[in-house]
Amino acid sequence: MRIIIVGFGVVGQSFIKILLSKSAELYSTFGLNPRVVACVDSNGMAVSPQGLDLSRLLEAKRMKKSVSAYYGNKKFCPSTSEIIESTEAEVMIEVTPTNLENAEPGISHIVSAMKTKKHVITVNKGPLALAFSSLLELAGYNNVRLAFSGTVGGGTPILEFAKKCLRGDRILSFRGILNGTTNYILSKMEEEGLTFQQALADAKQKGYAEATPKLDIEGYDAAAKLAIMANWIMSRKVSIADVSRCGISEVDLNAIRNARQKGKAIRLIAYCDNDQLNVMPLEIQPDDPICVSGTLNAVTFSSEYSGEKTIIGRGAGGLETASAILRDLIEIRDSISVPFDLMA
Amino acid sequence: MRIIIVGFGVVGQSFIKILLSKSAELYSTFGLNPRVVACVDSNGMAVSPQGLDLSRLLEAKRMKKSVSAYYGNKKFCPSTSEIIESTEAEVMIEVTPTNLENAEPGISHIVSAMKTKKHVITVNKGPLALAFSSLLELAGYNNVRLAFSGTVGGGTPILEFAKKCLRGDRILSFRGILNGTTNYILSKMEEEGLTFQQALADAKQKGYAEATPKLDIEGYDAAAKLAIMANWIMSRKVSIADVSRCGISEVDLNAIRNARQKGKAIRLIAYCDNDQLNVMPLEIQPDDPICVSGTLNAVTFSSEYSGEKTIIGRGAGGLETASAILRDLIEIRDSISVPFDLMA
């Protein structure tokens, strides 16, 4: 199966590392023989219809900071969309950074891939948070799959759980913690009495928060994930703009202490049912299964017959998110009905 | 799809109630048009090749305590296995009580069904805890499916989660709370300072413990579920006899208080990796996601790439377990490749 990788940061590289370490097992268990025919990062690209050497690709990135070093002096100059459209491949994996303003460049990459009949796997939240239904419609029109397990929960299969494990039942609502950075900050304030600024500094120092952490702190990241879940799980036609959103920058130590005196804890909770769609700091019971500490994510689904079910796991991480890409790739492999030998 | 139901307690009746309330949706969404052609309980049976009237079946059970009242005075006398073998049907649903001594009568029912090419859905733990591999082999030999989602976790899809949501990753080990009764007792002792006997009496009074609760208290129920999970998830060839098992009857208030002083909580933990297989009371951290209260079940899976993932939900309940039967039925419907119109 021929693959184009667009974006080659921690997640993209982790995915290549998994392919390198698992190739025999992927073929024997899933009939999957992935061949990376193009890899693009912000400084250039490497293309080979025969398949790139994955170790050399990682080495080029490590030594020269760009996959463009793969061929030494040789330069490729077309735009990323041109490469996506003109390279023959079955799957395009979109791993560029999330942009919640206008979803670029991810959304253009996805459209280019689908227009040229390539299946798409994305871990980029921007395109789906802004244009979920149009993208799914475009995928249907072009008869390709749009897979996005890694957009919510990192490696924790929150979307799959809701779709695959509760068939015949009906999810009435769900609520949870979708952003690890803010949960880390709130946990630190609660457990160690740090101020918001101190906890934020600590999160930055540990690599849990970006240098400009507005997307996390103000609840945009959680709202993007909530919009994706609302579309996928509850069949709502919404975008991030429809989410009532309030971040945690106004949560001070007094609020945390007041909650504690009432036997409660403050968490940034995303909630969705057939009417509501919101992200806001709320007081919850410490023995509520979603009341997790640190960078964990947690979601409770309320269903018609089988009651409440909670899933908890790490919501980020390179290897974790790369494992979600692999799950999607295996699903796509399964869905393609050409003969095993030809397709693998 | 023609169905034989064997066992008609709370779970079997809840399943019929779901069929009654959901019939239109089951057909439109899943192409499923279930027809119950035989129903057997401990006092008799009702059989109709055209399909039993489900409301009348529930009414017969409610008024006369047995489905044999469905036909008024008419009596059917063959054995259950004869009925299973001679009735034309696609699926047999086994809902008789669990017997961990010799798995009867459930295992005979399952064998009868498979020998006559019927798919089997069971929520009865006995047959699988004692003879998992043989039954799966027999299913393969007869080209039928053996589905058992409801044997672990009630309506909480613990088995599905492990099998369907982590493809491409590898589960290295798992540990969790698989029995709600013992968890309720330990939680009560911890939170309210009740003695073991007081907490047990409370659990009986609330309907969470049987009159003779040995299966729960001594860890047999958790061990049965652990054996099923070890076979299914870790591909181990084990039975309940291979589980190192220690129940909670020796856990007294002193032990609970000692644990508490160390900032820990005692829970009955089932654990499985490639070597170990055990059920025993252990001290765990209260902020461990599996440290749930009351009758909940919780399992954490440790996987190669995506780290630890926890699933939490109610581990019992009529409607919940019936929802697991429905999930299995939908899966079987999907797997049958005869034309939609004929099969539905």
Side-chain angles (χ1 to χ4, degrees):
Chain A
M1 186 179 272
R2 294 168 297 183
I3 296 171
I4 300 169
I5 297 179
V6 179
F8 205 52
V10 177
V11 174
Q13 293 173 63
S14 297
F15 176 67
I16 295 295
K17 285 174 194 160
I18 294 183
L19 292 188
L20 274 168
S21 70
K22 279 223 150 180
S23 65
E25 188 183 334
L26 289 177
Y27 187 68
S28 61
T29 310
F30 303 106
L32 196 63
N33 184 14
R35 181 149 48 106
V36 178
V37 292
C39 185
V40 186
D41 65 18
S42 47
N43 290 310
M45 53 193 67
V47 179
S48 163
Q50 287 72 43
L52 297 161
D53 180 302
L54 301 183
S55 303
R56 268 184 60 204
L57 198 62
L58 289 173
E59 186 64 13
K61 184 77 181 179
R62 198 175 65 80
M63 300 289 287
K64 303 285 174 81
K65 314 279 186 224
S66 171
V67 294
S68 62
Y70 182 92
Y71 282 116
N73 291 326
K74 197 166 165 194
K75 287 266 183 191
F76 287 91
C77 300
S79 74
T80 303
S81 281
E82 273 177 83
I83 284 290
I84 294 170
E85 290 173 23
S86 64
T87 305
E88 284 193 28
E90 279 73 39
V91 179
M92 191 274 291
I93 299 177
E94 221 307 314
V95 211
T96 65
T98 291
N99 163 354
L100 294 175
E101 300 285 329
N102 61 11
E104 291 295 357
I107 196 163
S108 291
H109 299 159
I110 292 174
V111 170
S112 289
M114 296 202 293
K115 270 173 26 188
T116 49
K117 312 292 180 196
K118 293 171 180 83
H119 303 286
V120 171
I121 297 170
T122 178
V123 300
N124 182 337
K125 293 176 283 288
L128 292 164
L130 270 72
F132 192 97
S133 347
S134 338
L135 289 174
L136 231 68
E137 201 174 312
L138 188 64
Y141 178 78
N142 287 291
N143 202 21
V144 293
R145 290 176 72 109
L146 174 59
F148 45 89
S149 303
T151 56
V152 178
T156 305
I158 294 174
L159 296 170
E160 283 101 324
F161 178 78
K163 273 290 201 184
K164 292 187 180 174
C165 292
L166 299 173
R167 297 182 73 197
D169 207 340
R170 187 170 58 196
I171 295 173
L172 305 172
S173 67
F174 61 85
R175 67 203 175 86
I177 291 165
L178 301 177
N179 179 271
T181 307
T182 45
N183 206 60
Y184 180 84
I185 291 170
L186 292 173
S187 306
K188 274 280 165 183
M189 291 172 73
E190 183 184 273
E191 289 159 17
E192 299 179 19
L194 302 188
T195 64
F196 174 79
Q197 288 302 336
Q198 288 168 330
L200 174 59
D202 181 67
K204 282 185 187 176
Q205 195 252 321
K206 291 216 169 64
Y208 298 149
E210 312 272 323
T212 49
K214 184 184 158 204
L215 286 189
D216 294 324
I217 300 302
E218 297 303 333
Y220 289 101
D221 177 73
K225 292 165 177 165
L226 183 64
I228 295 170
M229 294 175 75
N231 276 279
W232 187 234
I233 297 168
M234 304 291 281
S235 300
R236 293 189 59 178
K237 307 283 183 211
V238 294
S239 86
I240 187 172
D242 299 305
V243 178
S244 299
R245 180 190 46 73
C246 173
I248 66 162
S249 55
E250 305 293 311
V251 178
D252 59 17
L253 270 177
N254 274 337
I256 303 251
R257 285 190 196 120
N258 283 341
R260 198 163 201 170
Q261 274 170 7
K262 289 183 273 176
K264 302 215 170 184
I266 295 183
R267 292 291 185 270
L268 184 65
I269 302 294
Y271 176 83
C272 173
D273 60 20
N274 285 323
D275 300 313
Q276 293 183 64
L277 193 68
N278 45 52
V279 171
M280 61 181 72
L282 288 176
E283 293 180 355
I284 62 174
Q285 295 289 346
D287 65 353
D288 187 323
I290 63 167
C291 192
V292 290
S293 281
T295 59
L296 290 175
N297 282 195
V299 179
T300 293
F301 296 98
S302 297
S303 59
E304 187 178 6
Y305 295 127
S306 58
E308 297 203 330
K309 277 161 300 271
T310 304
I311 171 168
I312 299 169
R314 289 196 60 192
L319 207 53
E320 289 83 350
T321 308
S323 76
I325 296 177
L326 181 60
R327 280 204 306 275
D328 284 344
L329 191 65
I330 292 169
E331 287 278 304
I332 288 173
R333 173 67 187 82
D334 284 352
S335 75
I336 296 176
S337 56
V338 291
F340 191 99
D341 302 348
L342 287 174
M343 195 57 229
Chain B
M1 185 179 274
R2 293 166 299 182
I3 297 170
I4 301 169
I5 297 179
V6 180
F8 204 52
V10 177
V11 174
Q13 292 172 63
S14 298
F15 175 67
I16 294 296
K17 285 174 194 161
I18 294 184
L19 291 189
L20 273 169
S21 71
K22 279 222 151 180
S23 66
E25 189 183 332
L26 289 177
Y27 187 67
S28 61
T29 311
F30 304 106
L32 195 63
N33 184 15
R35 183 150 45 108
V36 179
V37 292
C39 184
V40 185
D41 65 19
S42 47
N43 290 310
M45 53 194 66
V47 180
S48 164
Q50 288 73 44
L52 296 160
D53 180 301
L54 301 183
S55 303
R56 268 184 60 204
L57 198 61
L58 289 173
E59 186 65 11
K61 184 76 179 179
R62 198 175 66 80
M63 299 291 285
K64 302 284 175 80
K65 313 279 185 225
S66 170
V67 295
S68 62
Y70 183 92
Y71 282 116
N73 290 328
K74 198 167 166 192
K75 286 265 182 191
F76 288 90
C77 299
S79 75
T80 303
S81 281
E82 273 177 83
I83 284 291
I84 294 171
E85 289 173 24
S86 64
T87 306
E88 284 193 27
E90 280 73 40
V91 179
M92 191 274 290
I93 300 177
E94 219 309 310
V95 210
T96 65
T98 291
N99 164 353
L100 294 174
E101 299 287 328
N102 62 10
E104 292 293 358
I107 196 163
S108 292
H109 299 160
I110 292 174
V111 170
S112 290
M114 296 202 293
K115 270 173 26 187
T116 48
K117 313 292 181 195
K118 294 171 180 81
H119 303 285
V120 171
I121 297 170
T122 179
V123 299
N124 182 337
K125 294 176 282 288
L128 292 164
L130 270 71
F132 191 98
S133 349
S134 338
L135 289 174
L136 231 68
E137 200 174 312
L138 189 63
Y141 178 79
N142 286 291
N143 201 21
V144 293
R145 291 176 72 108
L146 174 58
F148 45 90
S149 303
T151 56
V152 179
T156 305
I158 294 173
L159 295 170
E160 283 102 324
F161 179 78
K163 273 290 202 185
K164 293 187 180 175
C165 292
L166 300 172
R167 297 182 72 197
D169 207 340
R170 187 171 57 198
I171 295 173
L172 306 172
S173 68
F174 61 84
R175 67 202 175 85
I177 291 165
L178 301 176
N179 179 271
T181 307
T182 45
N183 205 60
Y184 180 83
I185 291 170
L186 292 173
S187 306
K188 274 279 164 184
M189 291 171 73
E190 184 184 272
E191 290 159 16
E192 299 178 16
L194 302 187
T195 64
F196 174 79
Q197 288 303 336
Q198 288 169 330
L200 174 58
D202 180 69
K204 283 185 188 177
Q205 194 252 321
K206 292 217 169 64
Y208 297 149
E210 313 272 324
T212 50
K214 185 184 157 203
L215 285 189
D216 294 324
I217 300 302
E218 297 303 333
Y220 289 100
D221 176 74
K225 291 165 177 166
L226 182 64
I228 295 171
M229 292 176 75
N231 277 280
W232 187 235
I233 296 168
M234 305 290 281
S235 300
R236 294 189 59 178
K237 307 282 184 213
V238 293
S239 85
I240 188 172
D242 298 305
V243 179
S244 299
R245 181 190 45 73
C246 174
I248 65 161
S249 55
E250 306 293 310
V251 178
D252 59 16
L253 270 178
N254 274 337
I256 302 250
R257 284 189 197 120
N258 283 340
R260 199 164 199 168
Q261 275 171 6
K262 289 183 273 175
K264 301 215 172 185
I266 296 183
R267 292 291 184 269
L268 184 65
I269 302 294
Y271 176 82
C272 173
D273 60 20
N274 285 322
D275 300 312
Q276 292 184 66
L277 194 67
N278 46 51
V279 170
M280 62 181 71
L282 288 176
E283 293 180 354
I284 63 174
Q285 296 289 346
D287 64 353
D288 187 324
I290 62 167
C291 192
V292 291
S293 281
T295 59
L296 290 175
N297 282 195
V299 180
T300 293
F301 296 98
S302 297
S303 59
E304 187 178 4
Y305 295 127
S306 58
E308 297 203 330
K309 277 160 299 270
T310 304
I311 171 168
I312 300 169
R314 289 196 60 192
L319 206 53
E320 289 84 349
T321 308
S323 76
I325 297 178
L326 181 59
R327 281 203 305 274
D328 284 344
L329 191 65
I330 291 170
E331 287 278 304
I332 288 173
R333 173 64 187 82
D334 284 351
S335 75
I336 295 176
S337 57
V338 291
F340 191 99
D341 301 349
L342 287 174
M343 197 55 232

